[in-house]
């Protein structure tokens, strides 16, 4: 679809704001969903004037991770553009990846006589893991011509990046996992699955040997397991694809990292949603497109905290007038996926969306809820169509054909 | 889509029941459809608690046969996986096909001086046709290394299967029809349309000559015409595609045959819908997935019997509590296509569907009818998405991407 859209793009001075209430879609508990439970007069009023609908991030029955969820919102088909596990892990830990990087998810593990006896090194404390990772980083700054970058995660987890001096071939990261997935087995060798991965898998082998040497006196964390080798996906930048100068406003590193994948500007910021909106206001004149990420709605959903999630939606509702004051040409409010408190996890359910612009039908939906959005003019549609709708509603797309 | 789903499958102990009311969708006569006419309190109550919608078996405006209709319900794109006419005919006549078989639809015909004067041999009586087929079968048990299997159908129709000793190449059945489609013409030769069909078309030629010889004293049915040469499609099994151990419960051979194409277990059973539900209960502990087929709804539709079709829906409604007693994790009730009594045939109209599980919105549709299902949370969607939805609602699919 991007190839159809690209030649139709025209620039103008309109402003588009996309607000992502992470995991906003829900399911009924005692008959009402989180959105139905929340008292949110501003969102409901806006929904009445907006084009409403539900978007489907990956496909019927498919539950998206945060990566595919956001790529869809940014206008990319998440099945066509898949992001490797290692890359996502690194983005989540705040590492800025380059096109010459190969990233992997790593575990500390316990090895005895050549066999893995604990794949998670007894789930060592995060603090301990952090110290070990700092030690590894200090002892192994590079392997051959590759710079080594390590980032500690929670408990036994960390990310490893090999930064090479030159751009890599797309299949250079095709290397098999070393994690045997079961205890009592030997760790696996990193096997190259493409010609371009051959020399890189050797570098990985040496990294593992060096790490083993550095960790040899550790009681539990005396070995490392690596999986999800991946490099930055070959993906058009957001500016190339849609002709928009864009700013990502997100407190969590993962979402800034996803935005940076497509070269959105994504400065590190801190604070709460009010701070994010402040930041939006300050930078409002400099960009065409703003992605503003609200994390906590999802966090409460993941915790199974129905009331907490509803309260977070209410809290956002109180701040919404600050966004409306900016009078954007197009305002979209939605989620990257559903996270029903009932399921305590992301889910496959389509996500309510409202799109406000001067060029909508409106008056189809009385509130911003799953059931009311079902009545809306956008229907149920693949998520990656939302961005073209934003372009159209900001009059940034020329006619297709004569 | 199956390739996206396969790596996400996880197994658990949930039970999924798919009930197919064959041809259930309809059109208004005196303002109401068959589903709207039927008094069916149990179905309506279930619809109120379910995810409702309409599924589109092949595409907008396309009327499915029973083959594509069911393949879609089983999670296969019926445009990608097409089933040959000969194979469907053989399945419908209750023949268990093997991967080494080539099947064809056959007609008895009348030939005079080398020209076909009646393509249907005067539509000879079914009883007569059966006797002729038995005679042919006795006289021609094999041709070369191919076993010949003949199955009588209605009137002038029968099916012929050539069973070879070895697995065939996918294009081995690419042989042209011998039916000239018009009377007064000569029968056509079976021409091989691929290299792998060359020797097989010779076997077909010899079968036709042998049959002509056996039938030479018949007044009307003195020749056979063959068309729709086909072999079993290359298709992943249901267990491979979706990780489900499955049981098909169907009284008519065609539907068991379709289920066997994807290696569902499909024992021959007899009786009415109550007997089918009894059978479901007896085997409930042994499988993950149950396909239960209700034929008569379609039969009345095909006859143009509006009231009969509505009455069949009512009869099923009375039995529905017996299914609900099993308390399945996911229950889907729908049809494989619409068969409006108004049209006396299958039609292109999307088919109402309800999906009941603990993880639906519900309260969108007040009854199980075409118009009420339109208000539902599933929207109008391609049929092959129903199976992934069943997997999702039984928590059998992991997250896509991280």
């Amino acid at each position: 679809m991007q190839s159809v859209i690209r030649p139709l793009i025209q620039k103008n001075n309109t402003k588009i704001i996309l607000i992502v209430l992470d995991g906003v879609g829900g399911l009924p508990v005692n008959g009402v969903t989180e959105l139905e439970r929340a008292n949110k007069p501003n969102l409901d009023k806006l929904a009445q004037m907006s084009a409403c609908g539900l978007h489907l991030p990956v496909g019927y029955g498919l539950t998206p991770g945060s990566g595919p969820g956001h790529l869809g919102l940014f206008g990319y088909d998440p099945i066509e553009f898949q992001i490797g596990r290692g890359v996502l892990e690194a983005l989540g830990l705040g590492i800025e990846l380059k096109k010459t990087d190969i990233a992997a998810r790593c575990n500390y593990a316990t090895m005895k006589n050549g066999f893995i006896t604990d794949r998670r090194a007894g789930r060592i404390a995060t603090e301990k893991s952090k110290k070990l990772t700092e030690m590894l980083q200090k002892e192994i700054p590079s392997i051959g011509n590759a710079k080594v970058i390590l980032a500690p995660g929670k408990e036994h987890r960390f990310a490893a990046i090999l930064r090479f001096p030159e751009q890599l071939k797309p299949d250079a990261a095709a290397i098999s996992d070393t994690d045997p997935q079961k205890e009592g087995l030997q760790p696996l060798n990193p096997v190259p699955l493409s010609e371009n991965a051959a020399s890189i898998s050797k570098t990985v082998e040496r990294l593992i040997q060096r790490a083993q040497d550095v960790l040899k006196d550790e009681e539990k964390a005396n070995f490392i397991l690596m999986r999800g080798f991946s490099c930055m996906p070959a993906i058009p930048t957001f500016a190339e694809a849609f002709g928009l100068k864009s700013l990502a406003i997100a407190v969590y590193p993962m979402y800034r990292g996803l935005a940076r994948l497509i070269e959105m500007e994504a400065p590190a910021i801190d604070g709460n949603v009010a701070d994010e909106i402040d930041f939006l206001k300050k930078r409002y004149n400099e960009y065409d497109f703003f992605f503003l990420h609200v994390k906590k709605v999802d966090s409460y959903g993941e915790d199974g905290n129905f009331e907490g999630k509803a309260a977070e939606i209410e809290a956002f509702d109180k701040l919404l007038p600050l966004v409306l004051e900016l009078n954007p040409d197009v305002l979209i409010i939605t989620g990257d996926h559903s996270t029903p408190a009932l399921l305590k996890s992301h889910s496959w359910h389509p996500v309510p969306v409202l799109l406000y612009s001067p060029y909508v039908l409106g008056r189809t939906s009385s509130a911003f809820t799953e059931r009311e959005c079902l009545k809306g003019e956008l229907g149920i549609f693949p998520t990656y169509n939302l961005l073209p709708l934003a372009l159209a509603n900001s009059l940034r797309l020329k006619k297709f054909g004569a």
Side-chain angles (χ1 to χ4, degrees), chain A:
Chain A
M1 195 42 79
Q2 287 193 358
S3 64
V4 175
I5 285 168
R6 206 175 293 193
L8 307 179
I9 292 170
Q10 59 189 2
K11 301 209 175 179
N12 60 29
N13 293 320
T14 56
K15 303 283 186 189
I16 303 167
I17 300 177
L18 166 67
I19 298 180
V20 177
L21 307 176
D22 201 305
V24 75
L27 283 174
V29 171
N30 300 321
V32 295
T33 69
E34 296 90 328
L35 276 167
E36 287 168 344
R37 172 60 169 260
N39 177 29
K40 47 177 180 28
N42 296 308
L43 275 164
D44 291 344
K45 195 177 153 201
L46 191 63
Q48 289 160 23
M49 300 185 288
S50 295
C52 294
L54 295 150
H55 65 84
L56 199 56
V58 188
Y60 280 91
L62 292 169
T63 296
S66 298
H70 277 83
L71 275 195
L73 290 173
F74 298 155
Y76 299 78
D77 179 347
I79 291 179
E80 184 180 349
F81 299 103
Q82 297 194 27
I83 308 171
R85 291 263 164 180
V87 165
L88 266 172
E89 187 80 3
L91 295 176
L93 294 174
I95 295 175
E96 264 195 68
L97 288 175
K98 298 190 185 297
K99 298 221 156 142
T100 63
D101 290 352
I102 286 187
R105 301 171 81 183
C106 306
N107 280 8
Y108 289 105
T110 313
M111 180 192 260
K112 270 188 192 147
N113 305 322
F115 292 85
I116 299 297
T117 55
D118 189 333
R119 289 174 56 238
R120 297 182 184 85
R123 287 193 184 274
I124 50 168
T126 302
E127 201 41 49
K128 169 75 175 169
S129 169
K130 195 176 168 208
K131 275 189 191 146
L132 289 174
T133 308
E134 283 164 2
M135 178 170 76
L136 282 178
Q137 179 70 82
K138 196 177 149 217
E139 297 292 326
I140 319 174
S142 65
I143 302 275
N145 66 349
K147 195 176 162 191
V148 173
I149 300 162
L150 304 177
K154 283 198 179 153
E155 298 177 333
H156 53 281
R157 302 179 191 90
F158 66 104
I161 289 91
L162 294 169
R163 180 161 293 167
F164 291 89
E166 280 166 13
Q167 174 101 33
L168 302 165
K169 303 281 183 203
D171 58 356
I175 297 171
S176 65
D177 293 352
T178 73
D179 185 340
Q181 292 293 338
K182 263 192 189 167
E183 267 117 26
L185 298 176
Q186 291 181 309
L188 304 170
N189 284 322
V191 179
L193 306 173
S194 79
E195 234 172 83
N196 292 314
S199 79
I200 292 167
S201 72
K202 291 287 168 205
T203 306
V204 171
E205 262 179 46
R206 286 172 60 199
L207 172 62
I208 294 170
Q209 284 158 6
R210 289 290 315 277
Q212 189 175 10
D213 197 44
V214 173
L215 299 170
K216 66 177 183 297
D217 296 331
E218 289 298 317
E219 192 196 340
K220 289 176 177 168
N222 66 354
F223 197 69
I224 68 170
L225 297 172
M226 302 180 74
R227 57 199 164 114
F229 293 95
S230 43
C231 47
M232 293 273 279
I235 189 166
T237 70
F238 193 66
E240 283 165 6
F242 302 113
L244 295 168
K245 191 180 175 203
S246 58
L247 178 67
I249 304 172
V251 172
Y252 280 66
M254 162 80 88
Y255 308 96
R256 293 199 298 266
L258 285 165
R260 283 187 196 127
L261 274 184
I262 51 173
E263 299 189 17
M264 278 192 191
E265 206 163 311
I269 59 160
D270 232 323
N272 55 28
V273 180
D275 297 321
E276 290 185 321
I277 294 175
D278 262 357
F279 192 76
L280 168 67
K281 290 195 164 184
K282 274 189 198 121
R283 311 294 293 271
Y284 195 62
N285 290 326
E286 299 169 47
Y287 300 88
D288 307 312
F289 180 94
F290 305 85
F291 152 54
L292 192 150
H293 184 258
V294 177
K295 173 65 186 170
K296 276 202 185 163
V297 181
D298 175 66
S299 310
Y300 282 111
E302 295 260 10
D303 293 345
N305 186 340
F306 183 92
E307 295 299 336
K309 187 177 163 190
E312 228 19 72
I313 294 167
E314 291 187 359
F316 172 76
D317 188 73
K318 289 200 177 67
L319 297 170
L320 180 54
L322 298 173
V323 178
L324 295 174
E325 275 170 19
L326 288 168
N327 211 9
D329 299 277
V330 178
L331 172 60
I332 297 171
I333 302 179
T334 187
D336 54 334
H337 52 73
S338 296
T339 305
L342 181 67
L343 279 164
K344 296 187 183 184
S345 68
H346 293 198
S347 80
W348 61 90
H349 300 86
V351 189
V353 56
L354 69 77
L355 183 155
Y356 176 67
S357 97
Y359 311 115
V360 301
L361 277 180
R363 283 176 44 204
T364 59
S365 308
S366 65
F368 186 58
T369 66
E370 295 81 2
R371 282 182 261 233
E372 285 300 314
C373 282
L374 259 180
K375 303 176 185 167
E377 69 203 71
L378 299 180
I380 302 176
F381 63 100
T383 303
Y384 58 75
N385 291 314
L386 199 53
L387 215 286
L389 279 171
L391 291 176
N393 277 278
S394 59
L395 306 183
R396 284 173 177 269
L397 287 185
K398 288 181 287 194
K399 197 155 63 174
F400 173 80

